């Protein structure tokens, strides 16, 4: 079974004025669909891996045949990360769950301090990659950035939220101003989705 581009849960212009429609369209129709196409093309000759979940492949790519390790890591990671990223955003405002909020406040002091720390991490990360809010092996929240399209599950982390730091995610509207992009993006975070990921983590751990 081939991988498919998931439907975007909103229109290209839905996240205006924070994220512009043209960037969203190119990001989804060109970048994300390109990763899906290349992943399918590359895996076509390796049908024995088709029943393994993409997340498992990404967390263990070095166990794959050498010829497809970087393909899965890069194109497969691009597909997984973007699929997750689209769901982390929504035009409707939503609330973080009390359970997750209390953990955020316990670890970061206040929600605003957490926001500052997240933005600082994302702005400070060098090059192309992703900044994540994850749960680590000890059940603690952690800010973590991965280069290129690497998956945080590789390091034992469970993802709750992510932002795309590749320039293709913001260059048309924000040019080199990554801080402005991340600050604008913060307004469209889907806190319901993020909170659901934390619930899923709790279910998985119990
Ligand atoms: Mn991207």
């Amino acid at each position: 079974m081939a991988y498919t581009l998931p439907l975007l849960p909103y229109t290209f212009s839905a996240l205006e004025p924070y994220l512009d429609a043209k960037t969203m369209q190119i990001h989804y129709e060109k970048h994300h669909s390109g990763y899906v196409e290349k992943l399918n093309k590359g895996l076509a000759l390796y049908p024995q891996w088709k029943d393994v979940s993409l997340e498992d492949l990404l967390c263990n790519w070095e166990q794959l045949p050498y010829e497809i390790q970087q393909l899965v890591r890069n194109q497969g990671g691009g597909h997984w990360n973007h699929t997750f990223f689209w769901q982390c955003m929504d035009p409707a405002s939503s609330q973080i769950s009390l359970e997750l909020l209390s953990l955020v406040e316990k670890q970061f002091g206040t929600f605003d301090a957490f926001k500052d720390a997240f933005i600082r991490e994302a702005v400070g990360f060098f090059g192309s990659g992703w900044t994540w809010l994850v749960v680590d092996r000890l059940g603690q929240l952690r800010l973590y950035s991965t280069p290129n399209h690497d998956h945080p599950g590789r390091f034992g982390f469970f993802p709750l939220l992510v932002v795309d730091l590749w320039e293709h995610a913001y260059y048309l509207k924000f040019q080199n101003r990554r801080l402005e992009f991340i600050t604008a993006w913060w307004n469209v975070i889907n806190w319901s989705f993020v909170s659901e990921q934390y619930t899923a983590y709790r279910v998985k751990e119990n």
Side-chain angles (χ1 to χ4, degrees):
M1 194 182 69
Y3 291 101
T4 53
L5 187 64
L7 282 177
L8 206 59
Y10 35 74
T11 63
F12 295 130
S13 61
L15 305 177
E16 297 261 14
Y18 305 108
L19 303 195
D20 64 290
K22 192 169 185 196
T23 296
M24 287 296 296
Q25 182 168 5
I26 294 172
H27 201 171
Y28 175 79
E29 288 184 343
K30 304 293 180 192
H31 293 278
H32 188 172
S33 78
Y35 300 130
V36 174
E37 260 171 52
K38 289 179 188 129
L39 178 64
N40 284 331
K41 201 172 163 200
L43 282 181
L45 295 172
Y46 297 83
Q48 65 270 40
W49 300 102
K50 74 178 172 22
D51 294 327
V52 180
S53 79
L54 182 56
E55 200 165 357
D56 283 344
L57 294 178
L58 293 172
C59 292
N60 305 286
W61 56 258
E62 74 289 327
Q63 291 172 31
L64 291 165
Y66 181 76
E67 307 75 49
I68 55 169
Q69 286 182 1
Q70 295 309 317
L71 170 98
V72 167
R73 183 184 184 187
N74 296 328
Q75 311 299 337
H79 176 39
W80 198 98
N81 291 1
H82 284 90
T83 301
F84 192 79
F85 176 57
W86 306 133
Q87 296 175 86
C88 285
M89 302 184 288
D90 193 81
S93 66
S94 59
Q95 294 283 319
I96 188 170
S97 68
L98 286 176
E99 189 186 28
L100 181 55
L101 178 63
S102 69
L103 189 57
V104 163
E105 290 176 340
K106 189 174 155 207
Q107 284 194 234
F108 293 89
T110 64
F111 186 80
D112 281 346
F114 158 68
K115 176 184 173 181
D116 290 346
F118 188 102
I119 291 175
R120 201 163 49 241
E121 168 68 26
V123 170
F125 183 77
F126 184 79
S128 296
W130 303 75
T131 290
W132 308 80
L133 172 67
V134 297
V135 188
D136 69 15
R137 291 178 201 270
L138 300 174
Q140 299 290 298
L141 297 177
R142 188 193 277 235
L143 299 175
Y144 193 76
S145 298
T146 54
N148 305 314
H149 287 327
D150 283 359
H151 192 280
R154 246 182 98 63
F155 313 99
F157 298 145
F158 189 96
L160 304 183
L161 169 68
V162 77
V163 65
D164 189 339
L165 304 179
W166 287 54
E167 283 185 345
H168 68 224
Y170 60 90
Y171 204 83
L172 281 183
K173 182 174 166 76
F174 297 99
Q175 290 82 51
N176 61 326
R177 304 186 302 277
R178 190 189 276 182
L179 172 62
E180 277 182 40
F181 160 61
I182 308 286
T183 305
W185 167 81
W186 193 268
N187 291 289
V188 295
I189 295 177
N190 184 346
W191 290 108
S192 299
F193 176 77
V194 177
S195 302
E196 280 163 25
Q197 303 318 299
Y198 186 63
T199 304
Y201 163 81
R202 299 274 292 188
V203 169
K204 181 170 164 268
E205 290 307 297
N206 290 322

